[in-house]
Every structure is written in structure tokens, then in C-alpha cells.
Amino acid sequence: VQDITGRKRLEAELRELATTDPLTALPNRRHFLAQLDAELERLRRHPHHRVALLMMDLDHFKRVNDLHGHTTGDAVLRQFAELLRDESRRLDTAARVGGEEFAVLLPEADLSAAEAIGERVRRKAMDPVHIEGQPAISVTVSIGIVDSDGTVPIETLIARADSALYQAKNKGRNQWSY
């Protein structure tokens, strides 16, 4: 008999490192894409169900880092991640998919449910961030919203969400679009 407790703990730590963004503790892009792929596969077996996807980008985030420093920028990212955790349902997957880019997978949600969540996130993102020794910082977020019945490939769904996100940015930022 051999005690493998340490090995199992190490495997769990490695799994956590491979699937989690270290700054925000949200799932990373790899994990998010795996969840999205699994959800689309589930929808293929249940054709009357829907899934929605929110793609988000903090507006003019480079300015936050340039004016206040990366430590403050990191604090803003952590606070936004906390907002996503608070506004997401238990079955949703919120993730950091890039520098200041986030996504939320909303199983069993249609466009109207996604709009409601997106609007709450948009409004609450504007709440000032208070970091010791810094003036209050406000950020805004642009959001692309799409939904699917699972009949489109993952790449197409992400491309549609990105297109909706850039439409929100082109319309003036601090809004959602689909």
C-alpha cells in the first residue's frame, strides 16, 4: 500500500493552474472554451434548448494602467471578476479570456435573459473602484450578446459574439449589442 495523497494534491493543483486565471480566479480561456464546447454538444442532444454568450471588454482599459499603474489595473480586473461572479447564475461560467476581455456562458438562457444580465453587469461596472491611496476609478464595459440552439460551430458562435462586441464599441462603448 502506498500513500498517494501528495500526488493527488499535486494533480489537483496542476489542474487548477491549467484552468484558472491566476489574477481573477475565474476560469481561463481554455476552460471556458471547453465548457462552451460541452454546452453546444449538450444542445445537439436537446434541440429545444438555448444557450447565450456574453463577450465583454473593459472600455479604454489601457488608460487605467497608464494613469494609475498596473497594480491598480489588476485591482480593477479583480473587482470586475467579482462582479461577474455576483451577477452570474450558479450554472453559468464566467471567465477571463484575455487581458481585459471576459465572457459569460449562460446555459438555458435566451437573448432576453442575456440582455438582462448584460445590462446589470454594464450598470454595476460603472460603480467606482476604491483602491487605497488612489482616487476612485470608474470603468465601463462593452458587451456582445448572442444566443444559439447549438446548430452552429463554436468558432461561428464566438465570431458572432465578437462581432456584436465590436458593434457595441463602434456605437460608443458602455453598451451591449447583438
Side-chain angles (χ1 to χ4, degrees), residues 9-34:
R9 186 178 58 247
L10 180 59
E11 287 175 3
E13 288 174 18
L14 289 173
R15 191 175 314 107
E16 179 80 12
L17 287 171
T19 61
T20 305
D21 173 61
L23 178 65
T24 63
L26 287 176
N28 63 17
R29 182 179 191 85
R30 172 185 290 140
H31 181 74
F32 179 79
L33 291 175

Side-chain angles (χ1 to χ4, degrees), residues 26-144:
L26 287 176
N28 63 17
R29 182 179 191 85
R30 172 185 290 140
H31 181 74
F32 179 79
L33 291 175
Q35 292 296 111
L36 178 56
D37 190 49
E39 182 61 20
L40 292 176
E41 183 60 37
R42 187 185 73 79
L43 287 178
R44 288 181 196 99
R45 294 187 309 273
H46 303 283
H48 301 296
H49 294 248
R50 306 285 301 172
V51 63
L53 176 62
L54 305 177
M55 294 296 286
M56 294 168 269
D57 191 71
L58 296 179
D59 298 325
H60 305 294
F61 187 73
K62 183 178 181 321
R63 263 194 285 186
V64 173
N65 282 331
D66 290 348
L67 292 173
H68 304 284
H70 289 278
T71 301
T72 299
D74 288 352
V76 169
L77 292 172
R78 283 191 296 272
Q79 182 163 322
F80 187 75
E82 188 63 35
L83 165 64
L84 290 181
R85 276 190 284 276
D86 290 346
E87 293 304 319
S88 297
R89 303 167 303 169
R90 178 171 278 183
L91 69 152
D92 299 339
T93 301
R96 182 177 179 208
V97 295
E100 68 273 5
E101 298 172 44
F102 295 83
V104 181
L105 173 65
L106 304 162
E108 300 298 324
D110 59 12
L111 279 178
S112 65
E115 288 173 17
I117 292 170
E119 180 59 18
R120 280 197 317 268
V121 167
R122 188 195 67 76
R123 277 188 283 109
K124 290 184 178 184
M126 292 187 295
D127 289 348
V129 178
H130 298 282
I131 298 156
E132 189 175 327
Q134 295 282 337
I137 300 167
S138 292
V139 296
T140 59
V141 63
S142 296
I143 305 171

